Amino acid sequence: MKKKSPGAKLASAGRYLYQEGTVYIILAVLVVFFTLFNPVFLTRRNLYNLITQSTYIIIAGMGICFVMISGGIDLSVGNQMAVCGCVAGIIMTQTGLPFFIVWPVCIALGFAMGLLNGVIAAKLRLFPLVVTIATSEVFKGIAYTITSSKSYSGMPAAFRALYKTKLLGLPLDVYLAIAVVAATWLVLNKTHFGRDVLAIGGIKECAHLSGIRADLVQSLCFAITGAIFAVATLDMLAQQNMTSATTGPGTEITCLTAAIIGGISMKGGKGNVVGMVVGILIMQMIANGMQLAGWGSYTQYTVKGIILILAIAFDAMKNRPRPAVRVHREKGEAAKERQ
């Protein structure tokens, strides 16, 4: 076997950093930057806040992994969170039912809303972006209807124990987030279903021809995303102790941006769970740094929008075929035309 020259090794390392390692470089640069400009950033108290405030977004991000790696996109999950949160709030504050019933009810509700998106997109051959924009409005209307625009607070102490109870100095929901991340990694990397998700995200038609039930896998990915976002909603509710029809929307943009930063391609078929977690930490770190600097929430929205644009542009650049590949493809197309 021929050994690579030092130049080839350096070029290979450079390609890896460009394709996979950029997110880690960004994370390290941000840590140094915010620490230099605000020593409070790296204090134990601020790091604790950064970690605990990121848990529900990390959980939600695992849901985005499934739908994006499968080649889809779901912009309705923010309003799915609003529906699940409002249903949970009503159950716990208005009905007198035991608090633990909200977990199966909300997870089943999230699964059903996600499955609706998946079935519509798969069976009608519609672009998921358009489908989920439409269903997002439906879910928003449902959230406002069932709450009559009211908010609900004062959740049972037993429910809030997920956030209030600490183990080794960290709330229990941190361990819940770790468990969800580990389960997502295992499913996507060590199961037949995970390989199918990657396959249909790459080239759906080829996956279908190879015997994969692409429509079923795609629908299940949307359903799993909805169920995971329901778990994230309950964690968020345990933290914030209140919910309304406006609680949840916006989370999908944070997760989408973090996914692209973390290396999940907008085209599907590519991405990893660890990169997604790092992408979320980057987004949370930026938000935390802006808060410490005293930037207003409107400015933060602007910055997040700019970051999303840059992330999409970078994703397009990374996935653009190399010149030799493009030339080969163009020659092939020209040959077909001559025939």
Side-chain angles (χ1 to χ4, degrees), residues 6 12 61 107 128-129 141 143 160-161 165 167 172 174 179 189 258 271 285 297 324:
S12 178
I107 291 173
L129 176 67
R160 297 204 68 209
T165 304
L167 178 63
L172 291 180
V174 173
N189 292 279
M285 197 176 294
S297 58

Side-chain angles (χ1 to χ4, degrees), residues 9-315:
K9 290 181 179 179
L10 187 62
S12 178
R15 282 194 298 271
Y16 174 79
L17 285 176
Y18 179 68
Q19 292 288 340
E20 307 292 343
T22 309
V23 64
Y24 305 106
I25 297 173
I26 294 172
L27 180 66
V29 169
L30 285 175
V31 170
V32 173
F33 175 81
F34 285 124
T35 302
L36 289 175
F37 282 88
N38 196 328
V40 175
F41 178 80
L42 214 54
T43 61
R44 182 177 179 179
R45 181 180 180 84
N46 188 59
L47 290 177
Y48 175 86
N49 291 334
L50 182 63
I51 292 171
T52 55
Q53 291 170 7
S54 301
T55 53
Y56 78 88
I57 299 180
I58 289 174
I59 294 171
M62 296 305 100
I64 285 292
C65 283
F66 282 95
V67 73
M68 286 191 67
I69 292 175
S70 70
I73 188 170
D74 193 340
L75 296 182
S76 71
V77 284
N79 283 304
Q80 288 183 40
M81 292 180 75
V83 174
C84 289
C86 291
V87 168
I90 291 170
I91 289 174
M92 288 188 287
T93 63
Q94 304 294 312
T95 66
L97 293 170
F99 79 92
F100 54 79
I101 199 174
V102 303
W103 284 91
V105 168
C106 287
I107 291 173
L109 181 59
F111 187 91
M113 289 189 288
L115 185 62
L116 175 65
N117 285 333
V119 170
I120 293 174
K123 294 301 182 182
L124 299 183
R125 301 290 188 270
L126 298 176
F127 191 47
L129 176 67
V130 177
V131 172
T132 57
I133 287 175
T135 56
S136 179
E137 292 300 304
V138 174
F139 300 146
K140 181 194 293 185
I142 292 172
Y144 276 100
T145 299
I146 63 177
T147 60
S148 299
S149 300
K150 295 187 297 185
S151 61
Y152 298 90
S153 60
M155 305 304 156
F159 173 76
R160 297 204 68 209
L162 177 65
Y163 177 68
K164 290 291 187 179
T165 304
K166 294 183 181 180
L167 178 63
L168 301 178
L170 292 173
L172 291 180
D173 67 335
V174 173
Y175 300 99
L176 174 63
I178 293 172
V180 174
V181 169
T184 302
W185 185 89
L186 286 171
V187 170
L188 290 176
N189 292 279
K190 300 297 181 180
T191 68
H192 191 277
F193 177 76
R195 290 190 290 272
D196 288 350
V197 171
L198 285 166
I200 68 167
I203 303 177
K204 187 175 180 180
E205 290 77 11
C206 291
H208 181 73
L209 291 173
S210 66
I212 296 173
R213 299 178 64 182
D215 289 349
L216 176 61
V217 173
Q218 184 182 32
S219 298
L220 284 176
C221 283
F222 276 94
I224 292 170
T225 295
I228 294 176
F229 263 86
V231 174
T233 303
L234 295 172
D235 182 28
M236 179 181 66
L237 184 53
Q239 287 188 25
Q240 299 179 0
N241 197 29
M242 67 83 59
T243 187
S244 69
T246 61
T247 305
T251 307
E252 71 278 11
I253 300 300
T254 300
C255 290
L256 176 63
T257 308
I260 301 171
I261 292 174
I264 297 179
S265 174
M266 288 284 289
K267 296 179 180 179
K270 180 182 177 184
N272 66 83
V273 171
V274 176
M276 178 69 185
V277 173
V278 176
I280 290 171
L281 291 177
I282 287 172
M283 292 299 296
Q284 291 298 96
M285 197 176 294
I286 292 171
N288 180 265
M290 290 190 292
Q291 288 175 354
L292 292 176
W295 292 17
S297 58
Y298 299 137
T299 305
Q300 293 182 36
Y301 291 146
T302 303
V303 172
K304 287 181 180 180
I306 293 172
I307 293 171
L308 177 58
I309 293 171
L310 294 175
I312 293 172
F314 185 62
D315 176 67

